[in-house]
Amino acid sequence: MSVSLILAAALLATPAPQTPVAPPEMRVAIGDLDFARAADQREFVRRVHAASRDFCRQHLDVVTPDRLGDPAICRAEMRWQAYRALPDAQRRQFALTGQMRAVR
């Protein structure tokens, strides 16, 4: 079973719809990565950037309802959410090596 980060765009304040609808999710696979290895940390950054680009292409209006048309804000928010969703141990390893800047 693959471990992945799942980020719901509904974390960002959006009005509640009349009928419950599942918020869109951005997934980033991390189960095959060893965050003690620099190459795997770089791969995580690559995956997060790719996932945020794809996600924001489809869900820009959900993530940035007050700033429609600005995909950079959507991508930055989703990258930050991916970093924050990492398990504590991986997040610490990632922060210690300075790779956190690459996610932003």
Side-chain angles (χ1 to χ4, degrees):
M1 177 185 205
S2 176
V3 175
S4 63
L5 301 173
I6 301 172
L7 308 167
L11 297 173
L12 311 168
T14 58
Q18 295 297 334
T19 56
V21 176
E25 297 176 338
M26 182 178 95
R27 294 178 183 250
V28 179
I30 63 169
D32 61 329
L33 301 177
D34 177 358
F35 279 77
R37 296 181 34 172
D40 284 1
Q41 289 184 17
R42 287 190 300 272
E43 176 60 16
F44 172 72
V45 170
R46 188 197 67 73
R47 290 177 187 181
V48 167
H49 279 260
S52 68
R53 270 192 314 273
D54 294 344
F55 181 86
C56 290
R57 247 185 238 121
Q58 295 180 333
H59 305 292
L60 182 63
D61 58 332
V62 175
V63 179
T64 58
D66 58 339
R67 293 189 181 148
L68 290 176
D70 194 347
I73 292 172
C74 176
R75 289 189 304 264
E77 180 62 31
M78 295 313 292
R79 290 189 310 255
W80 179 244
Q81 293 297 330
Y83 167 74
R84 292 187 60 207
L86 282 172
D88 289 340
Q90 284 91 341
R91 191 171 48 237
R92 276 194 299 277
Q93 287 176 315
F94 198 67
L96 287 173
T97 61
Q99 288 290 326
M100 183 178 76
R101 290 185 303 253
V103 169
R104 289 187 181 176

